[in-house]
Amino acid sequence: MARAELMDFDKALELFEPVMGFEVHVELNTKTKMFSEAPNVFGAEPNTGLTPLCLGLPGTLPVVNEQAVRYSISLGLALGCSIAESSSFARKNYFYPDTPKNYQISQFDEPIAFEGSVQIELADGTLIDIPVERAHMEEDAGKLTHVGGSSGRIQGADYSLVDYNRAGVPLVEIVTKPIYGGEHRSPEIAKAYVSAIRDIVVSLGISDAKMERGNLRCDANVSLRPRVAEGVETPPLGTRTETKNVNSLRSVERAVRYEIQRQAAILAKGGSITQETRHWHEDTGETSAGRPKSDADDYRYFPEPDLLPVVPSAELIAELRAALPEQPAVRRRRLKAEWGFTDLEFQDIQNSGLLTEVSETVAAGATPAAARKWWTGEIARLANAADADAASLISAADVAALAVLVEAGTLTDRLARQVLEGVIAGEGTPQQVVDARGLAVVSDDGALIAAIDEALAAQPDVLEKIRDGKVQAAGAVIGAVMKAMKGQADAARVRELVLERASA
């Protein structure tokens, strides 16, 4: 794939105004699929969670999942949307191997929720309202795995495998209106918006929202229009591209920045932008052309004849509204107060995009300080080194278990970093890594005293120096003991024992 020419980001913004829009797909964690009793289980053996309906076999009829409807209404309310008195399903027709019916049951002109707004917070505390056009219910497609070739894409693959387990999983697609005025902060706004959506669905408990698993995916639309002098009529919106299925917060930010730079380079030379879908390549930090982007007419939408409209009662909407959790902004303020963090400490978590992970780690038993330290420190460092999302490396439960081992004195920070690397490498839980590698701190004073005596024998003048008030001389013995114990001694305890020896 030839590298596209890119314009300097600041130069691109001098010449063009970026306009964005996002479609975020949220997989709902219902027990069964959207229109059948097939199980909704992530990670099951391929093609085991199926019914005849999932395969589009003749004579099968869809039945709406009531829980999915309730979840969709709750999400619409949390987005500040109005809930439709009546909404209907439609068939979205397209032909692709992962869609066995050759159409997707979705919603077209009568979505379940419409006209909402999501407030996001940027790194410096700036608040921005993102307008939501609609949130509609639909079913997910299956999953294709392209085998052979170097890119993992269909181009150049030897063959493709299809897993229909995901076909029919309940989805809510959240569509924004065009977002103007982002300017140089457009990539940051993109990341903050998707992060806010993730926080909302996690707080509702309606989705696992793990982007690395595809529970939450973002299609990022970007277009540019030329800047004009004041008083000149504003030109129409430029042609947009849609970067599909971006599955990490970091990638959303990078993909938007890349498209602004790529499109600006083309337009500045008099070229034109193709309305198309594009694929994001995490390894190279680039997008590549997918297929020409279809408009609504191309999908030949028509009403789903086998399903009645969804008509939620006022009582149901009131019940779900009353059960809504606190808004993410309110939650952030509460957590900051509960955890006792300064503005800078809490902003550190916010800027890292790891608030959910830190919160889950605290809930799993870690102290707030330990959770913040590990996620924004060593885990973030390893993630940057691996060019990966921190949340994809390790679970909150394992981070909490690691923090508890340090708190209990079973591990020092140095040993804990080794354990962390073992967990990320797939060697097991923190305790399993400790046991397998023999990394626990030596807590037997007898073993420590023996090592201290050996170190003192090699440095006979240390005790006299300590007795003469030169306590810092103990450092040489402590270092020798730590080396002898392969770092598995508590340095503070070793120091206590050395000083006890000196006072004897």
Side-chain angles (χ1 to χ4, degrees):
M1 180 178 70
R3 286 186 173 272
E5 182 180 348
L6 302 182
M7 180 178 287
D8 175 76
F9 186 70
D10 291 334
K11 181 65 175 177
L13 292 176
E14 286 180 19
L15 300 176
F16 302 99
E17 175 195 359
V19 180
M20 301 182 295
F22 302 102
E23 300 160 21
V24 176
H25 304 260
V26 179
E27 283 188 350
L28 304 179
N29 57 9
T30 53
K31 292 182 179 179
T32 56
K33 294 185 180 180
M34 186 71 211
F35 301 111
S36 79
E37 70 277 14
N40 176 17
V41 179
F42 178 83
E45 287 296 313
N47 296 311
T48 56
L50 305 177
T51 64
L53 181 74
C54 300
L55 297 174
L57 297 181
T60 56
L61 293 173
V63 178
V64 176
N65 185 324
E66 179 183 359
Q67 187 63 59
V69 174
R70 293 174 66 94
Y71 281 176
S72 301
I73 294 173
S74 293
L75 179 53
L77 292 171
L79 297 171
C81 291
S82 298
I83 303 302
E85 294 182 2
S86 175
S87 68
S88 61
F89 290 99
R91 292 188 181 182
K92 180 180 181 181
N93 295 275
Y94 64 95
F95 302 94
Y96 210 62
D98 59 7
T99 308
K101 299 191 296 292
N102 286 331
Y103 63 85
Q104 176 191 38
I105 301 178
S106 182
Q107 293 189 301
F108 178 43
D109 54 351
E110 296 181 352
I112 188 72
F114 58 94
E115 294 295 333
S117 178
V118 174
Q119 187 177 80
I120 64 172
E121 183 175 355
L122 302 185
D124 63 357
T126 300
L127 299 177
I128 298 176
D129 290 323
I130 303 297
V132 173
E133 179 178 293
R134 58 188 278 153
H136 62 262
M137 299 180 287
E138 60 186 23
E139 59 180 341
D140 210 344
K143 181 179 180 180
L144 286 170
T145 301
H146 305 296
V147 181
S150 59
S151 66
R153 303 285 181 185
I154 193 169
Q155 295 85 358
D158 296 327
Y159 58 91
S160 299
L161 301 174
V162 62
D163 178 8
Y164 289 122
N165 281 347
R166 198 175 67 183
V169 166
L171 276 183
V172 175
E173 181 177 340
I174 305 163
V175 183
T176 70
K177 295 179 179 181
I179 301 167
Y180 305 95
E183 301 297 347
H184 69 284
R185 306 194 76 170
S186 292
E188 183 185 359
I189 289 170
K191 177 181 178 181
Y193 171 71
V194 178
S195 178
I197 295 297
R198 187 182 68 161
D199 288 346
I200 288 171
V201 299
V202 168
S203 68
L204 289 170
I206 63 174
S207 173
D208 296 335
K210 296 185 182 298
M211 296 189 73
E212 69 276 9
R213 291 189 351 189
N215 300 142
L216 190 147
R217 311 187 291 271
C218 176
D219 297 344
N221 293 269
V222 175
S223 67
L224 301 180
R225 60 180 173 185
R227 297 194 184 277
V228 293
E230 188 174 345
V232 177
E233 183 180 357
T234 302
L237 293 177
T239 302
R240 65 187 172 90
T241 62
E242 180 180 354
T243 304
K244 299 285 290 183
N245 295 328
V246 187
N247 63 358
S248 78
L249 297 176
R250 179 171 175 268
S251 294
V252 170
E253 183 175 28
R254 294 173 69 201
V256 168
R257 176 181 287 270
Y258 179 87
E259 273 301 291
I260 290 173
Q261 294 180 266
R262 186 189 70 85
Q263 292 183 28
I266 294 172
L267 294 173
K269 288 190 171 183
S272 60
I273 303 301
T274 302
Q275 182 170 312
E276 63 186 355
T277 64
R278 296 187 67 83
H279 301 297
W280 171 250
H281 301 274
E282 182 65 38
D283 54 346
T284 62
E286 300 172 311
T287 65
S288 63
R291 56 179 171 79
K293 177 59 181 172
S294 300
D295 290 318
D297 290 346
D298 298 317
Y299 289 117
R300 296 180 296 113
Y301 281 98
F302 66 86
E304 169 55 65
D306 295 326
L307 291 172
L308 293 171
V310 174
V311 185
S313 67
E315 291 77 17
L316 173 62
I317 295 173
E319 172 196 333
L320 295 174
R321 189 187 300 277
L324 289 178
E326 61 188 342
Q327 288 291 313
V330 176
R331 175 173 173 262
R332 287 194 294 269
R333 289 192 290 272
R334 175 179 61 79
L335 290 176
K336 178 176 174 292
E338 287 181 359
W339 294 345
F341 288 155
T342 65
D343 289 343
L344 286 176
E345 288 171 337
F346 197 79
Q347 199 64 53
D348 187 32
I349 300 173
Q350 281 285 96
N351 293 348
S352 69
L354 293 167
L355 180 59
T356 296
E357 287 70 28
V358 171
S359 178
E360 290 177 350
T361 303
V362 173
T367 65
R372 171 181 170 271
K373 166 189 166 184
W374 284 106
W375 279 109
T376 63
E378 188 66 10
I379 298 172
R381 184 188 70 78
L382 292 172
N384 287 335
D387 200 22
D389 259 21
S392 69
L393 297 183
I394 187 171
S395 70
D398 280 341
V399 177
L402 184 69
V404 168
L405 289 172
V406 174
E407 184 75 18
T410 304
L411 295 173
T412 62
D413 275 0
R414 178 176 176 275
L415 293 172
R417 287 193 289 273
Q418 296 180 48
V419 173
L420 175 64
E421 292 173 357
V423 173
I424 291 173
E427 296 175 24
T429 66
Q431 187 62 61
Q432 289 170 336
V433 175
V434 169
D435 294 341
R437 293 192 181 189
L439 291 176
V441 167
V442 175
S443 57
D444 178 10
D445 279 0
L448 295 177
I449 290 170
I452 289 170
D453 287 343
E454 184 176 338
L456 288 172
Q459 305 175 71
D461 59 330
V462 169
L463 284 181
E464 288 305 320
K465 289 180 179 179
I466 295 173
R467 287 168 182 154
D468 289 341
K470 299 177 181 178
V471 178
Q472 65 270 23
V477 176
I478 295 170
V481 171
M482 295 300 291
K483 182 177 181 180
M485 304 301 290
K486 298 180 180 178
Q488 291 178 240
D490 181 345
R493 181 57 181 156
V494 173
R495 185 176 187 278
E496 289 176 5
L497 293 173
V498 170
L499 295 181
E500 285 179 11
R501 271 286 193 266
S503 62

